[in-house]
């Protein structure tokens, strides 16, 4: 494709489909991946979290790939821009949609998680009894 501003991407319906696909894909990735990383019902299992993220990316890329390319991550979108595979317009819109999708996914995860387990929402941290 080469470097492009994205004038050819201004067809409204395909562009909206791809933006919605990126938003939903990133939202589902946050819900599934971070939800698995929380593990408030079971003892922490690295394999479970790795499989959840890996299988989620595979499944989500399968249903968004033919619409938007299945980037699912702003770093991937910017990397494709740097490599000349994604236009500037699509990159900006994808990054905005991915960030909004991630916030919506974290919000849904926050709402469905019991209150006593909401602290980190799957973020990394120190184990119990370990001090910095």
């Amino acid at each position: 494709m080469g470097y492009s501003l994205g004038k050819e991407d201004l067809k409204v319906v395909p562009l909206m489909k791809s933006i919605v696909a990126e938003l939903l894909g990133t939202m589902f990735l946050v819900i599934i991946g971070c939800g698995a990383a929380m593990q408030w019902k079971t003892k922490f299992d690295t394999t479970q979290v790795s499989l959840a993220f890996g299988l989620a990316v595979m499944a989500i890329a399968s249903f968004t790939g033919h619409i938007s390319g299945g980037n699912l991550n702003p770093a991937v979108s910017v990397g494709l821009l740097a490599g000349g595979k994604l236009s500037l317009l699509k990159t900006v819109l994808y990054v905005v949609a991915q960030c909004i999708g991630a916030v919506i996914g974290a919000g849904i995860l926050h709402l469905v998680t019991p209150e006593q387990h909401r602290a980190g929402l799957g973020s990394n941290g120190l184990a119990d009894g370990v001090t910095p």
Side-chain angles (χ1 to χ4, degrees), residues 4 12 15 20 39 50 66 71 80 85 87 92-93 110 117:
S4 160
V12 176
L15 185 61
V20 169
Q39 294 189 355
S50 301
H66 67 286
N71 300 347
L80 289 170
K85 302 292 182 188
S87 70
V92 170
L93 293 173
H110 179 78
H117 300 289

Side-chain angles (χ1 to χ4, degrees), residues 77-117:
S77 298
V78 171
L80 289 170
L81 171 68
K85 302 292 182 188
L86 199 61
S87 70
L88 180 62
L89 174 68
K90 270 192 174 179
T91 301
V92 170
L93 293 173
Y94 281 11
V95 167
V96 169
Q98 290 159 350
C99 290
I100 292 170
V103 169
I104 292 170
I108 291 170
L109 190 57
H110 179 78
L111 290 174
V112 301
T113 302
E115 196 168 330
Q116 64 271 24
H117 300 289

